[in-house]
Amino acid sequence: MADSRFTTHPDLFDLSGKYALVTGGTRGIGVMMARGLLQAGARVVISSRNADACAEAQQLLSEFGDVQAIPADLSRHDECRRLADLVQADSERLDILVNNAGSMWREPLETFPDEAWDSVLDLNLKAPFWLVQALLPALRRAGAADDPARIINVGSIAAVHVAESPNYSYASSKAGLHQLTRVLARELGPQHVTVNAVAPGPFPSQMMAATLDAIGDTIAAKAPLRRLGRDDDMAGIAVFLASRASSYLTGTIIPVDGGIATTATGT
Ligand SMILES: NC(=O)c1ccc[n+]([C@@H]2O[C@H](COP(=O)([O-])OP(=O)(O)OC[C@H]3O[C@@H](n4cnc5c(N)ncnc54)[C@H](OP(=O)(O)O)[C@@H]3O)[C@@H](O)[C@H]2O)c1
């Protein structure tokens, strides 16, 4: 007989029957998170601009579960709405929204152009807001008091500490996304939708390729855990934040960085 002192769920991390959208799910951190959600049993839609990359990632991920891909340029408001409409035409409920698509613009202070603000803020900060706004009906329908719908924003440790190489619009966009996470968490909590952010440290990806090729070993050697991020580290945090195990978390910014930013000494 079950021990009535415990209120338990048979599998805290099971996502069977859940429906998820992962933006930028065709490579890098997005594909790591999508794979985790699929393995935990969720049905997943991935999205990015490139139709061929969408098809390739769908093929790759189909080994792990039921995955669809929809190309969209999320730096545009109308494209965010179109993607949201397609997702809601497929299902009236959306359990998990992962706002992961992002871009970075590296250039010295003296020549940093206006476009590097607009393009980075449009994708990294405005697109998550437009997608939340457009998908709110489906998120509200999916959320319940004991198992809320989830919004997971992918921020960065570049907005937790100050990185050695400055990224003006990127770091600012991620700081904005972290605060937007808290603002939305307060508003949407009573509607049974949680909003949390993951702040990754260095993970191998196209965005990080040049940096990690040049100084990846040095970054790993200085990290308290003495390594870069791995696929399972991102899959794990995505599954946790999407699952019943994190039902009582909202408005948090979780660094997944091997301790790099969280233990920075400033010396
Ligand atoms: N890797 C790291 O170490 C690291 C650290 C901290 C934070 N992050 C964050 O993690 C997220 C993923 O980064 P990543 O390193 O995996 O980068 P990545 O390899 O460059 O992947 C970016 C993804 O976003 C998509 N994307 C880019 N522009 C888009 C647009 N306009 N519309 C729709 N999709 C678009 C890309 O596909 P298309 O090019 O086909 O559109 C791709 O799927 C970003 O938000 C990034 O800031 C990464």
Side-chain angles (χ1 to χ4, degrees):
M1 206 170 97
D3 188 326
S4 59
R5 286 175 304 170
F6 297 104
T7 52
T8 61
H9 190 268
D11 190 345
L12 275 178
F13 300 98
D14 181 22
L15 299 179
S16 302
K18 303 282 187 188
Y19 185 45
L21 169 62
V22 181
T23 70
T26 55
R27 62 174 194 252
I29 283 178
V31 94
M32 297 173 203
M33 289 183 148
R35 192 264 296 172
L37 299 177
L38 286 164
Q39 280 186 313
R43 185 161 74 91
V44 176
V45 176
I46 56 170
S47 183
S48 88
R49 286 168 300 184
N50 186 312
D52 290 340
C54 278
E56 273 170 42
Q58 181 180 349
Q59 171 76 20
L60 179 82
L61 287 166
S62 61
E63 175 188 338
F64 302 104
D66 183 349
V67 57
Q68 306 293 317
I70 303 174
D73 181 353
L74 300 178
S75 64
R76 290 170 39 192
H77 188 186
D78 62 327
E79 282 281 279
C80 291
R81 294 192 66 88
R82 185 179 65 81
L83 176 62
D85 287 347
L86 289 170
V87 166
Q88 288 174 114
D90 186 39
S91 166
E92 63 175 21
R93 297 162 49 110
L94 180 68
D95 300 281
I96 304 151
L97 166 62
V98 182
N99 283 310
N100 163 75
S103 67
M104 183 189 275
W105 193 303
R106 295 172 204 274
E107 198 157 331
L109 183 57
E110 291 78 5
T111 54
F112 203 78
D114 200 26
E115 188 195 350
W117 281 101
D118 290 340
S119 70
V120 171
L121 288 176
D122 283 352
L123 181 63
N124 294 10
L125 182 56
K126 288 162 76 174
F129 180 82
W130 297 133
L131 284 171
V132 168
Q133 187 186 55
L135 287 163
L136 209 42
L139 289 162
R140 284 188 179 126
R141 278 192 285 270
D146 72 332
D147 193 7
R150 315 301 168 90
I151 297 169
I152 302 168
N153 293 325
V154 178
S156 174
I157 60 166
V160 174
H161 71 161
V162 178
E164 277 185 39
S165 55
N167 261 304
Y168 310 104
S169 57
Y170 180 80
S172 305
S173 73
K174 294 298 185 179
L177 186 60
H178 291 182
Q179 187 63 3
L180 181 62
T181 299
R182 299 184 187 101
V183 170
L184 290 173
R186 187 182 176 101
E187 180 169 350
L188 298 181
Q191 302 172 37
H192 309 318
V193 180
T194 67
V195 192
N196 292 289
V198 176
F203 280 72
S205 74
Q206 190 167 308
M207 181 187 285
M208 286 295 286
T211 302
L212 296 184
D213 284 351
I215 54 166
D217 290 346
T218 311
I219 293 172
K222 283 188 189 164
L225 293 180
R226 299 288 189 269
R227 65 172 177 85
L228 303 176
R230 296 182 187 137
D231 289 15
D232 277 349
D233 302 322
M234 254 326 127
I237 192 69
V239 171
F240 172 65
L241 285 176
S243 73
R244 189 173 281 268
S246 66
S247 298
Y248 198 47
L249 250 74
T250 198
T252 64
I253 315 299
I254 303 179
V256 181
D257 70 339
I260 292 172
T262 45
T263 66
T265 61
T267 57

